[in-house]
mmCIF file of all heavy atoms in Angstrom:
data_model
loop_
_atom_site.group_PDB
_atom_site.id
_atom_site.type_symbol
_atom_site.label_atom_id
_atom_site.label_comp_id
_atom_site.label_asym_id
_atom_site.label_seq_id
_atom_site.Cartn_x
_atom_site.Cartn_y
_atom_site.Cartn_z
ATOM 1 N N ARG A 56 34.414 4.156 -42.971
ATOM 2 C CA ARG A 56 34.737 2.778 -43.354
ATOM 3 C C ARG A 56 33.627 2.146 -44.205
ATOM 4 O O ARG A 56 33.888 1.257 -45.000
ATOM 5 C CB ARG A 56 34.982 1.912 -42.122
ATOM 6 C CG ARG A 56 36.362 2.084 -41.526
ATOM 7 C CD ARG A 56 36.654 1.003 -40.500
ATOM 8 N NE ARG A 56 36.038 1.238 -39.204
ATOM 9 C CZ ARG A 56 36.527 2.052 -38.266
ATOM 10 N NH1 ARG A 56 37.640 2.706 -38.480
ATOM 11 N NH2 ARG A 56 35.904 2.194 -37.118
ATOM 12 N N ARG A 57 32.417 2.602 -44.012
ATOM 13 C CA ARG A 57 31.284 2.011 -44.739
ATOM 14 C C ARG A 57 30.952 2.725 -46.054
ATOM 15 O O ARG A 57 30.009 2.331 -46.747
ATOM 16 C CB ARG A 57 30.049 2.000 -43.842
ATOM 17 C CG ARG A 57 30.196 1.096 -42.642
ATOM 18 C CD ARG A 57 28.899 1.032 -41.887
ATOM 19 N NE ARG A 57 29.054 0.352 -40.610
ATOM 20 C CZ ARG A 57 28.048 0.018 -39.829
ATOM 21 N NH1 ARG A 57 26.804 0.314 -40.185
ATOM 22 N NH2 ARG A 57 28.257 -0.597 -38.688
ATOM 23 N N ILE A 58 31.687 3.744 -46.407
ATOM 24 C CA ILE A 58 31.414 4.489 -47.644
ATOM 25 C C ILE A 58 31.303 3.575 -48.865
ATOM 26 O O ILE A 58 30.408 3.765 -49.691
ATOM 27 C CB ILE A 58 32.451 5.608 -47.861
ATOM 28 C CG1 ILE A 58 32.149 6.773 -46.916
ATOM 29 C CG2 ILE A 58 32.468 6.094 -49.305
ATOM 30 C CD1 ILE A 58 33.183 7.883 -46.946
ATOM 31 N N PRO A 59 32.162 2.562 -49.007
ATOM 32 C CA PRO A 59 32.021 1.700 -50.199
ATOM 33 C C PRO A 59 30.630 1.060 -50.326
ATOM 34 O O PRO A 59 30.151 0.845 -51.448
ATOM 35 C CB PRO A 59 33.106 0.634 -50.000
ATOM 36 C CG PRO A 59 34.147 1.325 -49.169
ATOM 37 C CD PRO A 59 33.362 2.223 -48.238
ATOM 38 N N LEU A 60 29.983 0.783 -49.216
ATOM 39 C CA LEU A 60 28.626 0.226 -49.287
ATOM 40 C C LEU A 60 27.657 1.240 -49.891
ATOM 41 O O LEU A 60 26.761 0.866 -50.661
ATOM 42 C CB LEU A 60 28.151 -0.208 -47.903
ATOM 43 C CG LEU A 60 28.927 -1.363 -47.270
ATOM 44 C CD1 LEU A 60 28.488 -1.567 -45.828
ATOM 45 C CD2 LEU A 60 28.756 -2.624 -48.090
ATOM 46 N N GLY A 61 27.826 2.508 -49.540
ATOM 47 C CA GLY A 61 26.979 3.546 -50.131
ATOM 48 C C GLY A 61 27.196 3.657 -51.625
ATOM 49 O O GLY A 61 26.239 3.794 -52.402
ATOM 50 N N TYR A 62 28.447 3.568 -52.064
ATOM 51 C CA TYR A 62 28.729 3.655 -53.492
ATOM 52 C C TYR A 62 28.236 2.418 -54.241
ATOM 53 O O TYR A 62 27.837 2.516 -55.392
ATOM 54 C CB TYR A 62 30.210 3.918 -53.727
ATOM 55 C CG TYR A 62 30.626 5.295 -53.223
ATOM 56 C CD1 TYR A 62 31.919 5.563 -52.863
ATOM 57 C CD2 TYR A 62 29.688 6.319 -53.089
ATOM 58 C CE1 TYR A 62 32.291 6.825 -52.391
ATOM 59 C CE2 TYR A 62 30.040 7.574 -52.621
ATOM 60 C CZ TYR A 62 31.343 7.820 -52.279
ATOM 61 O OH TYR A 62 31.699 9.054 -51.825
ATOM 62 N N LEU A 63 28.220 1.283 -53.568
ATOM 63 C CA LEU A 63 27.622 0.091 -54.159
ATOM 64 C C LEU A 63 26.117 0.307 -54.335
ATOM 65 O O LEU A 63 25.540 -0.070 -55.366
ATOM 66 C CB LEU A 63 27.892 -1.134 -53.278
ATOM 67 C CG LEU A 63 27.288 -2.448 -53.758
ATOM 68 C CD1 LEU A 63 27.817 -2.833 -55.132
ATOM 69 C CD2 LEU A 63 27.580 -3.553 -52.739
ATOM 70 N N ALA A 64 25.491 0.947 -53.357
ATOM 71 C CA ALA A 64 24.063 1.261 -53.470
ATOM 72 C C ALA A 64 23.804 2.183 -54.663
ATOM 73 O O ALA A 64 22.816 2.006 -55.389
ATOM 74 C CB ALA A 64 23.555 1.906 -52.182
ATOM 75 N N PHE A 65 24.703 3.150 -54.908
ATOM 76 C CA PHE A 65 24.546 4.039 -56.064
ATOM 77 C C PHE A 65 24.689 3.264 -57.369
ATOM 78 O O PHE A 65 24.027 3.582 -58.356
ATOM 79 C CB PHE A 65 25.550 5.186 -56.032
ATOM 80 C CG PHE A 65 25.371 6.117 -54.873
ATOM 81 C CD1 PHE A 65 26.439 6.839 -54.379
ATOM 82 C CD2 PHE A 65 24.141 6.281 -54.253
ATOM 83 C CE1 PHE A 65 26.287 7.692 -53.301
ATOM 84 C CE2 PHE A 65 23.982 7.133 -53.180
ATOM 85 C CZ PHE A 65 25.058 7.845 -52.704
ATOM 86 N N LEU A 66 25.544 2.243 -57.376
ATOM 87 C CA LEU A 66 25.669 1.421 -58.579
ATOM 88 C C LEU A 66 24.359 0.677 -58.834
ATOM 89 O O LEU A 66 23.901 0.601 -59.981
ATOM 90 C CB LEU A 66 26.841 0.443 -58.451
ATOM 91 C CG LEU A 66 27.060 -0.487 -59.644
ATOM 92 C CD1 LEU A 66 27.282 0.295 -60.931
ATOM 93 C CD2 LEU A 66 28.237 -1.422 -59.361
ATOM 94 N N VAL A 67 23.744 0.169 -57.782
ATOM 95 C CA VAL A 67 22.451 -0.512 -57.938
ATOM 96 C C VAL A 67 21.409 0.471 -58.481
ATOM 97 O O VAL A 67 20.639 0.141 -59.396
ATOM 98 C CB VAL A 67 21.988 -1.137 -56.599
ATOM 99 C CG1 VAL A 67 20.548 -1.630 -56.683
ATOM 100 C CG2 VAL A 67 22.928 -2.266 -56.197
ATOM 101 N N LEU A 68 21.382 1.684 -57.949
ATOM 102 C CA LEU A 68 20.436 2.694 -58.451
ATOM 103 C C LEU A 68 20.733 3.047 -59.910
ATOM 104 O O LEU A 68 19.808 3.229 -60.712
ATOM 105 C CB LEU A 68 20.488 3.954 -57.582
ATOM 106 C CG LEU A 68 19.812 3.842 -56.229
ATOM 107 C CD1 LEU A 68 20.153 5.049 -55.360
ATOM 108 C CD2 LEU A 68 18.303 3.704 -56.382
ATOM 109 N N THR A 69 22.009 3.151 -60.269
ATOM 110 C CA THR A 69 22.392 3.468 -61.649
ATOM 111 C C THR A 69 21.936 2.360 -62.595
ATOM 112 O O THR A 69 21.378 2.638 -63.663
ATOM 113 C CB THR A 69 23.913 3.679 -61.752
ATOM 114 O OG1 THR A 69 24.292 4.752 -60.882
ATOM 115 C CG2 THR A 69 24.333 4.019 -63.167
ATOM 116 N N LEU A 70 22.166 1.110 -62.204
ATOM 117 C CA LEU A 70 21.732 -0.012 -63.031
ATOM 118 C C LEU A 70 20.213 -0.034 -63.178
ATOM 119 O O LEU A 70 19.683 -0.276 -64.273
ATOM 120 C CB LEU A 70 22.218 -1.333 -62.425
ATOM 121 C CG LEU A 70 23.723 -1.580 -62.489
ATOM 122 C CD1 LEU A 70 24.104 -2.744 -61.589
ATOM 123 C CD2 LEU A 70 24.172 -1.810 -63.920
ATOM 124 N N THR A 71 19.511 0.247 -62.097
ATOM 125 C CA THR A 71 18.049 0.265 -62.132
ATOM 126 C C THR A 71 17.542 1.404 -63.016
ATOM 127 O O THR A 71 16.606 1.219 -63.808
ATOM 128 C CB THR A 71 17.475 0.387 -60.712
ATOM 129 O OG1 THR A 71 17.974 -0.695 -59.924
ATOM 130 C CG2 THR A 71 15.955 0.366 -60.715
ATOM 131 N N LEU A 72 18.172 2.573 -62.902
ATOM 132 C CA LEU A 72 17.763 3.702 -63.740
ATOM 133 C C LEU A 72 18.064 3.404 -65.205
ATOM 134 O O LEU A 72 17.261 3.743 -66.084
ATOM 135 C CB LEU A 72 18.455 4.991 -63.283
ATOM 136 C CG LEU A 72 17.992 6.265 -63.980
ATOM 137 C CD1 LEU A 72 16.493 6.505 -63.760
ATOM 138 C CD2 LEU A 72 18.795 7.459 -63.477
ATOM 139 N N TYR A 73 19.192 2.779 -65.473
ATOM 140 C CA TYR A 73 19.512 2.380 -66.852
ATOM 141 C C TYR A 73 18.385 1.498 -67.407
ATOM 142 O O TYR A 73 17.877 1.726 -68.504
ATOM 143 C CB TYR A 73 20.852 1.638 -66.906
ATOM 144 C CG TYR A 73 21.166 1.103 -68.283
ATOM 145 C CD1 TYR A 73 21.755 1.918 -69.242
ATOM 146 C CD2 TYR A 73 20.825 -0.192 -68.644
ATOM 147 C CE1 TYR A 73 22.009 1.447 -70.519
ATOM 148 C CE2 TYR A 73 21.075 -0.674 -69.916
ATOM 149 C CZ TYR A 73 21.669 0.147 -70.850
ATOM 150 O OH TYR A 73 21.910 -0.316 -72.115
ATOM 151 N N TRP A 74 18.012 0.482 -66.632
ATOM 152 C CA TRP A 74 16.949 -0.427 -67.056
ATOM 153 C C TRP A 74 15.649 0.346 -67.309
ATOM 154 O O TRP A 74 14.988 0.150 -68.335
ATOM 155 C CB TRP A 74 16.739 -1.508 -65.991
ATOM 156 C CG TRP A 74 15.561 -2.380 -66.259
ATOM 157 C CD1 TRP A 74 15.506 -3.463 -67.089
ATOM 158 C CD2 TRP A 74 14.248 -2.214 -65.719
ATOM 159 N NE1 TRP A 74 14.235 -3.992 -67.093
ATOM 160 C CE2 TRP A 74 13.438 -3.241 -66.265
ATOM 161 C CE3 TRP A 74 13.670 -1.309 -64.830
ATOM 162 C CZ2 TRP A 74 12.097 -3.379 -65.945
ATOM 163 C CZ3 TRP A 74 12.335 -1.447 -64.520
ATOM 164 C CH2 TRP A 74 11.561 -2.474 -65.075
ATOM 165 N N LEU A 75 15.279 1.226 -66.379
ATOM 166 C CA LEU A 75 14.034 1.986 -66.505
ATOM 167 C C LEU A 75 14.048 2.888 -67.743
ATOM 168 O O LEU A 75 13.074 2.918 -68.509
ATOM 169 C CB LEU A 75 13.804 2.824 -65.241
ATOM 170 C CG LEU A 75 12.556 3.702 -65.231
ATOM 171 C CD1 LEU A 75 11.301 2.850 -65.272
ATOM 172 C CD2 LEU A 75 12.554 4.593 -63.996
ATOM 173 N N LEU A 76 15.143 3.597 -67.942
ATOM 174 C CA LEU A 76 15.222 4.511 -69.092
ATOM 175 C C LEU A 76 15.158 3.742 -70.410
ATOM 176 O O LEU A 76 14.539 4.201 -71.376
ATOM 177 C CB LEU A 76 16.490 5.361 -69.024
ATOM 178 C CG LEU A 76 16.581 6.338 -67.850
ATOM 179 C CD1 LEU A 76 17.882 7.118 -67.905
ATOM 180 C CD2 LEU A 76 15.389 7.273 -67.801
ATOM 181 N N ARG A 77 15.778 2.575 -70.461
ATOM 182 C CA ARG A 77 15.710 1.758 -71.679
ATOM 183 C C ARG A 77 14.282 1.274 -71.904
ATOM 184 O O ARG A 77 13.791 1.276 -73.033
ATOM 185 C CB ARG A 77 16.651 0.550 -71.614
ATOM 186 C CG ARG A 77 18.132 0.853 -71.545
ATOM 187 C CD ARG A 77 18.750 1.574 -72.744
ATOM 188 N NE ARG A 77 18.336 2.938 -72.984
ATOM 189 C CZ ARG A 77 18.744 4.029 -72.306
ATOM 190 N NH1 ARG A 77 19.585 3.937 -71.336
ATOM 191 N NH2 ARG A 77 18.301 5.231 -72.623
ATOM 192 N N ARG A 78 13.614 0.827 -70.854
ATOM 193 C CA ARG A 78 12.232 0.339 -70.976
ATOM 194 C C ARG A 78 11.293 1.445 -71.460
ATOM 195 O O ARG A 78 10.339 1.181 -72.179
ATOM 196 C CB ARG A 78 11.721 -0.197 -69.638
ATOM 197 C CG ARG A 78 12.468 -1.377 -69.099
ATOM 198 C CD ARG A 78 12.051 -2.673 -69.677
ATOM 199 N NE ARG A 78 10.673 -2.973 -69.313
ATOM 200 C CZ ARG A 78 9.978 -3.947 -69.866
ATOM 201 N NH1 ARG A 78 10.515 -4.708 -70.766
ATOM 202 N NH2 ARG A 78 8.748 -4.163 -69.497
#
Side-chain angles (χ1 to χ4, degrees):
R56 280 192 281 279
R57 295 186 189 189
I58 284 175
L60 295 172
Y62 293 155
L63 178 60
F65 296 154
L66 179 58
V67 170
L68 285 169
T69 301
L70 290 167
T71 303
L72 187 60
Y73 175 84
W74 173 82
L75 179 65
L76 295 180
R77 296 297 67 77
R78 297 278 295 169

